[in-house]
Amino acid sequence: MTILIRKVLMDITRRKGRSSLIILGIVIGVLGLTAMNEATSLVAGAFFYSTDPTAIPNITCIVSNLPPSAATAIMHLPNVELVQARALYLTLWHHPGGNEQDVLQITTASEPQGLPLGAFQLTSGHMPGPGEILMDESDQGLQSLAPGSLVSVDTLDGQRVSLRVAGLVDTRGLAIWHVPPAPLGYVSESVLQQLTQQGQGPTSNDLPRGTQLLIQTHDPSSSQQTYQAILRILAAAHLQAQPFSGVRNTSFDADTQLGVSGVLAVVRLLTLLMLLLVGMMTFALVTTFLTEQFKVIGTMKALGGTRLPIVGSYLLTLTIYSLSGTVPGIALGLVAGYQFAAHLATSAQIQVGNLMLPVAVGPFQVAPWVLVASVLTGIFLPLLASLWPLWTGTAITVHQALASYGVRVEAYSRTPIWGRALRWVPQTAWLGLRGLFRKPARVILTLSALALASAVFFSIQLIDISLWTNFTYVSNVYHSDLRIDLGSSLGDAVPAEPVLTALQALPHVARVEPIDPMPISIAHRVLEINGLLADTHLYQPVLVSGRWLRSHELNTLVVNDSAVTYLHLKVGEQVPVQLGEQLSYLTIVGIVHEVSGISGSANPAGRLGETFTTLDTLNQLRHLAPGAAERLWLQANDHSPQALQALQQRVNTTLSALGLSDGSALVLTQDLSGVSGTMQMIAILFDIAAILVALIGLLSLFHTLATSVLERRLEIGILRAIGATNWHMGVIFGIEGLALALIAWGSGIVLGLPLTLSILSLLDSYMGPIDLAFQPLTLPLTLFFVVLVAGLASFGPILTASRVRVRTALRYE
């Protein structure tokens, strides 16, 4: 064993505390990076698969049969990009142990991965054989399913048969395809023929069956016109589109994925900040380590050692530290990441209609890029961070090295002017404060780490508040507690006056108003127009320019400021509004600030948000009688959950009594359940990143205070000799840590605001405009966070300082 290698081993074992601190910092950095990458890789992969907008059609059309001539004509329509046909059979699915049943879509399961639309992948089991069926993972919300369980369905002539579940699948894009997602099963062609084979009795299943056309268009905004052209082709072939056919509004399809992508981008940004802190901590530790080793470096140079071998020995020391921290960091990170992903999968369910679709992370697996990123970070980041201090530290001459005291006590010849002016401050406090900048470079690194941790924590609180305010914008702006749909779907408009009168008479009802949303397009971009009363009390517009709507006026429009900017509109301009196949011209009378329903700039076909007109104008556009409405909003006097649930039941009873059996009331807090799950996922990701950043800041402060105790042992011995108690020593170093925390808190607040604005600007491109929301409570909460970190970091050094004996301290060189 060479002398340098023996020195490397001695350096590692001689200062076990410092070695443990370096290894612990690397472990935390690698563990956090690995866990976050593993969790986000698993969750994002499963989530993006279930919400893939490229795997689902814009138009679906079911016909009994499709002649080749009609198929060719459809394929040659100018807006048609892709046509895919598959056999489809809709039947009743009978659940065991009761009379409940649902409509089940059954199609063939041939070559699922090769299909551009409607592809699926097996998550368990095998491909179906005779008497078997594959069920989608989302079907488990209706019946507990597993390979080997039975599914009971009807044949064409009404006979009930049982099919054994061969396995479960995850259908690509299903989460945003069917709203709500219809139960879906896959069988072989022979089983499908058996189900649809006509028996001796009459046909009792009148649900759609035959050929389903899955069609993607070049221009989604013109899909309605393309669908009408398809219906004309079918009519010419004496065919008619069956129920479950129609056009999907695809403007929001990409928004689900973009929202998650934006969150992941922020998490990666926070992870980079964490890695920066690890590098800063390594830089400070190596600098202090080399300062202690100045005499050793001088001795090695005096014995003939050159710069490169000396640097190489220290790099070998750091390599051992890196390997010691990287290996357990990766192992723990992979386990923690998978468990974290499984937890996120339960809270990050996709809400579609009234169902919550789970995100299936699947079995444990590791993406190669996760391992590569962790290895590069754990091994090369500490080495890169140490190159500069190693190169400058080993440049010292033999004379400078042998004359240096290494870690030493600085002499203070005079008291600062501001110290003499504040003689009422106890000397114990001055002793703690005087040690703040005795080593400016090291303290600046520590303050930078703590300030960055404070800024990240402060920024995360503001972002969480802003995102929650943005996600709950509709309920906040409409000041409503219940949303009441007068039919099973939009398009079921009824005279609203008798309904409003009946609901207004219910106890604890403050106000009920109609506000009807309808999709429109302006300049081939999708927006939502809301027909409401001009003198509404529920919606409170924030006017930017122009004026608000007036009662009984027609053909006027109020547009949100983002759409005005994008479409280059202005007050007084007449704009062409496309509603279905009808084109009308409305005059813009006002511009409001609105952030609801606006897609991010990364979705070029996304929505441009809300517009407003009078209910009379909207009814004129959709050829309905004045006073007709599809949706009402109710404001209650009692906002407690129990009172709202009771009011919901009374509203549903009233709707049934008025003959609106398809109508329903929804408490908006229930409607936000999916938002709560998404916000919980975002908050967990952000908070974990903040905790990891805080741990690195804690280690940096711990190192600074521990080194301060080491440097000031002679001073500690003198203080103990003249009567200082353990309490006094603890107060001195506690004040030093607290002062650093307060400076870091102030700096963190200053840095946190631009960091928040930068992150919100990044999220704008993914989620659309997000207004900054501020709560004063975040300031003391951030202070508590920084002081807590400082207190935990100070505990060890304070304990060490209070236990230093006088004899040991006075013998210190």
Side-chain angles (χ1 to χ4, degrees):
M1 184 181 297
T2 65
I3 294 177
L4 286 179
I5 293 179
R6 291 176 58 187
K7 176 189 174 299
V8 166
L9 297 179
M10 289 183 63
D11 285 341
I12 294 174
T13 57
R14 178 168 174 261
R15 288 283 177 86
K16 297 182 177 62
R18 183 189 58 223
S19 298
S20 301
L21 194 64
I22 296 175
I23 293 174
L24 183 59
I26 296 173
V27 168
I28 292 175
V30 174
L31 187 155
L33 177 69
T34 306
M36 296 297 281
N37 285 341
E38 172 73 358
T40 54
S41 174
L42 291 173
V43 173
F47 190 89
F48 289 162
Y49 187 89
S50 299
T51 59
D52 185 2
T54 65
I56 56 180
N58 306 109
I59 300 172
T60 56
C61 189
I62 304 175
V63 292
S64 57
N65 59 78
L66 186 65
S69 59
T72 303
I74 292 173
M75 293 175 61
H76 286 85
L77 287 174
N79 194 33
V80 171
E81 179 180 4
L82 174 66
V83 178
Q84 180 179 311
R86 65 180 185 180
L88 184 69
Y89 174 62
L90 275 70
T91 186
L92 293 180
W93 173 13
H94 302 276
H95 305 308
N99 297 322
E100 294 184 3
Q101 57 190 21
D102 288 280
V103 175
L104 175 66
Q105 299 187 51
I106 298 178
T107 186
T108 53
S110 57
E111 300 181 2
Q113 295 296 344
L115 299 176
L117 302 177
F120 64 83
Q121 61 183 3
L122 279 169
T123 58
S124 62
H126 57 83
M127 294 295 289
E132 293 182 330
I133 186 172
L134 288 175
M135 301 296 289
D136 190 86
E137 290 275 1
S138 62
D139 299 339
Q140 296 191 90
L142 302 172
Q143 176 183 329
S144 178
L145 298 171
S149 58
L150 296 178
V151 172
S152 179
V153 299
D154 285 348
T155 62
L156 187 59
D157 56 4
Q159 300 296 319
R160 188 175 300 183
V161 297
S162 294
L163 300 176
R164 187 171 301 276
V165 176
L168 298 177
V169 302
D170 187 8
T171 303
R172 195 179 192 93
L174 181 66
I176 56 176
W177 183 353
H178 299 292
V179 184
L184 186 60
Y186 300 90
V187 297
S188 63
E189 292 184 4
S190 60
V191 172
L192 187 60
Q193 290 177 1
Q194 293 173 6
L195 292 175
T196 57
Q197 186 174 3
Q198 181 70 41
Q200 297 298 324
T203 300
S204 61
N205 182 3
D206 57 355
L207 292 170
R209 65 183 182 277
T211 301
Q212 183 184 41
L213 295 178
L214 309 179
I215 301 169
Q216 276 190 344
T217 59
H218 294 288
D219 181 8
S221 63
S222 301
S223 295
Q224 184 65 44
Q225 292 87 331
T226 304
Y227 180 62
Q228 296 299 324
I230 292 173
L231 293 182
R232 289 192 289 268
I233 293 174
L234 295 178
H238 306 289
L239 295 172
Q240 184 177 3
Q242 300 182 35
F244 295 86
S245 302
V247 179
R248 292 182 54 260
N249 189 337
T250 61
S251 59
F252 275 159
D253 280 353
D255 290 350
T256 305
Q257 287 197 354
L258 286 173
V260 175
S261 298
V263 172
L264 296 182
V266 174
V267 170
R268 293 188 184 101
L269 174 63
L270 296 177
T271 303
L272 289 177
L273 293 178
M274 178 189 68
L275 296 181
L276 174 63
L277 288 176
V278 172
M280 293 169 59
M281 185 189 71
T282 304
F283 185 93
L285 288 170
V286 172
T287 302
T288 304
F289 175 50
L290 290 176
T291 304
E292 295 176 356
Q293 298 250 328
F294 275 166
K295 283 189 176 182
V296 177
I297 294 172
T299 303
M300 288 191 292
K301 286 193 171 183
L303 295 175
T306 58
R307 192 175 186 184
L308 286 179
I310 295 174
V311 170
S313 69
Y314 287 112
L315 287 177
L316 179 59
T317 302
L318 287 169
T319 302
I320 295 175
Y321 285 145
S322 298
L323 290 173
S324 301
T326 300
V327 173
I330 291 177
L332 294 173
L334 290 176
V335 174
Y338 182 76
Q339 296 299 322
F340 181 40
H343 175 73
L344 280 181
T346 59
S347 61
Q349 294 178 340
I350 310 167
Q351 185 180 20
V352 182
N354 294 325
L355 295 180
M356 299 297 294
L357 299 185
V359 178
V361 297
F364 177 80
Q365 55 183 335
V366 181
W369 71 270
V370 174
L371 288 178
V372 171
S374 299
V375 171
L376 291 177
T377 299
I379 294 179
F380 291 102
L381 179 63
L383 295 179
L384 289 175
S386 63
L387 284 179
W388 175 253
L390 282 176
W391 190 252
T392 56
T394 55
I396 190 172
T397 65
V398 175
H399 174 73
Q400 291 171 332
L402 296 180
S404 173
Y405 286 96
V407 178
R408 60 180 180 173
V409 178
E410 301 288 348
Y412 287 84
S413 58
R414 60 194 181 94
T415 304
I417 296 176
W418 50 272
R420 293 196 299 269
L422 301 175
R423 296 183 181 276
W424 54 270
V425 178
Q427 287 299 315
T428 304
W430 283 125
L431 288 172
L433 294 174
R434 67 177 289 188
L436 281 178
F437 292 98
R438 59 190 302 120
K439 294 290 184 180
R442 184 176 66 234
V443 172
I444 288 174
L445 283 174
T446 303
L447 277 176
S448 299
L450 272 180
L452 191 54
S454 173
V456 168
F457 183 85
F458 179 66
S459 179
I460 285 174
Q461 305 311 307
L462 293 183
I463 292 170
D464 284 344
I465 296 170
S466 301
L467 287 176
W468 177 253
T469 303
N470 186 75
F471 287 162
T472 59
Y473 191 82
V474 172
S475 61
N476 292 336
V477 169
Y478 287 170
H479 301 283
S480 302
D481 299 290
L482 270 71
R483 191 190 72 208
I484 304 167
D485 292 319
L486 302 182
S488 57
S489 63
L490 287 179
D492 298 337
V494 299
E497 191 60 36
V499 184
L500 292 171
T501 302
L503 295 180
Q504 192 69 58
L506 295 177
H508 305 298
V509 172
R511 190 178 301 276
V512 186
E513 290 182 7
I515 303 179
D516 272 7
M518 292 291 292
I520 61 172
S521 63
I522 299 177
H524 300 287
R525 291 302 302 268
V526 178
L527 300 94
E528 188 169 83
I529 189 168
N530 293 274
L532 72 176
L533 304 179
D535 57 349
T536 175
H537 292 80
L538 294 184
Y539 179 74
Q540 297 179 0
V542 181
L543 278 171
V544 175
S545 63
R547 62 172 177 84
W548 183 241
L549 304 167
R550 292 172 180 169
S551 298
H552 305 298
E553 72 176 354
L554 298 176
N555 302 323
T556 56
L557 188 68
V558 172
V559 189
N560 72 80
D561 47 357
S562 295
V564 165
T565 302
Y566 186 88
L567 298 175
H568 307 290
L569 305 176
K570 60 186 178 183
V571 175
E573 181 179 354
Q574 271 197 338
V575 293
V577 174
Q578 186 83 37
L579 178 60
E581 292 190 328
Q582 178 178 342
L583 182 65
S584 304
Y585 286 86
L586 303 183
T587 302
I588 299 176
V589 297
I591 300 172
V592 294
H593 175 65
E594 269 277 357
V595 298
S596 177
I598 303 177
S599 302
S601 58
N603 181 7
R607 291 195 179 188
L608 293 183
E610 307 287 338
T611 64
F612 302 89
T613 189
T614 60
L615 187 59
D616 291 339
T617 298
L618 180 59
N619 285 334
Q620 176 180 281
L621 294 178
R622 55 188 182 179
H623 304 292
L624 295 178
E630 301 171 355
R631 178 172 290 175
L632 307 178
W633 300 78
L634 185 149
Q635 185 184 77
N637 290 320
D638 189 346
H639 306 291
S640 64
Q642 297 81 2
L644 292 179
Q645 289 179 1
L647 182 57
Q648 180 187 25
Q649 295 176 358
R650 287 194 292 268
V651 169
N652 287 330
T653 302
T654 303
L655 293 177
S656 298
L658 293 173
L660 302 174
S661 57
D662 290 335
S664 62
L666 178 67
V667 179
L668 288 179
T669 53
Q670 298 174 353
D671 196 28
L672 294 175
S673 58
V675 172
S676 299
T678 304
M679 283 304 305
Q680 182 181 0
M681 180 194 74
I682 294 174
I684 290 174
L685 287 173
F686 287 175
D687 290 344
I688 287 181
I691 290 173
L692 293 173
V693 169
L695 286 176
I696 302 300
L698 185 150
L699 293 177
S700 297
L701 181 58
F702 178 86
H703 162 256
T704 297
L705 294 178
T707 305
S708 179
V709 171
L710 180 66
E711 291 175 343
R712 300 170 68 179
R713 291 182 69 178
L714 181 60
E715 180 181 330
I716 292 172
I718 295 174
L719 291 173
R720 296 297 297 270
I722 61 177
T725 63
N726 293 346
W727 168 257
H728 289 118
M729 303 313 304
V731 169
I732 290 172
F733 289 96
I735 288 176
E736 182 176 345
L738 181 61
L740 288 172
L742 291 176
I743 297 174
W745 171 70
S747 304
I749 297 300
V750 173
L751 293 174
L753 189 57
L755 177 62
T756 302
L757 295 176
S758 300
I759 292 177
L760 290 180
S761 177
L762 172 65
L763 289 175
D764 280 356
S765 61
Y766 293 97
M767 299 181 177
I770 301 173
D771 288 338
L772 175 64
F774 176 76
Q775 287 186 359
L777 185 62
T778 55
L779 293 175
L781 186 62
T782 304
L783 177 61
F784 174 77
F785 167 78
V786 177
V787 171
L788 178 64
V789 169
L792 294 175
S794 305
F795 180 77
I798 289 174
L799 189 63
T800 301
S802 63
R803 290 182 175 180
V804 174
R805 296 182 179 181
V806 176
R807 181 188 303 177
T808 304
L810 296 180
R811 285 191 306 177
Y812 177 71
E813 298 182 359

